[in-house]
């Protein structure tokens, strides 16, 4: 399962959403980030735990790992 980790600066702990579909989590994360008034940090990981992409509070879209 792919994993989307959502870290809101105004909450303790993180939230995690899992799906078999990477694209679903990318769309969910991007849309959640755009709609949030307080922008969270997001990370998308593959089924093995390797980070594929991230989005910080200042980002407007996903930044691929290694870029």
């Amino acid at each position: 399962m792919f994993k989307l980790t959502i870290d809101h600066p105004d909450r303790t702990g993180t939230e995690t959403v899992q799906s078999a579909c990477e694209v679903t989590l990318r769309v969910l994360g991007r849309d959640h980030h755009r709609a949030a008034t307080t922008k969270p940090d997001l990370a998308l990981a593959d089924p093995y735990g390797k980070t594929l992409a991230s989005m910080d509070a200042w980002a407007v879209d996903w930044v691929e790992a290694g870029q």
Side-chain angles (χ1 to χ4, degrees):
M1 297 288 276
F2 291 91
K3 181 168 59 171
L4 172 64
T5 303
I6 306 165
D7 186 13
H8 287 276
D10 57 347
R11 295 185 188 163
T12 57
T14 58
E15 299 172 18
T16 303
V17 179
Q18 293 184 338
S19 175
C21 181
E22 175 186 352
V23 174
T24 298
L25 293 179
R26 284 181 180 268
V27 171
L28 176 70
R30 186 193 64 220
D31 290 350
H32 175 73
H33 193 271
R34 288 180 180 171
T37 53
T38 303
K39 305 296 184 191
D41 290 335
L42 306 175
L44 179 65
D46 70 11
Y48 302 101
K50 180 182 175 191
T51 300
L52 300 173
S54 61
M55 191 181 307
D56 66 16
W58 303 103
V60 294
D61 210 342
W62 289 105
V63 175
E64 299 304 313
Q67 288 187 350

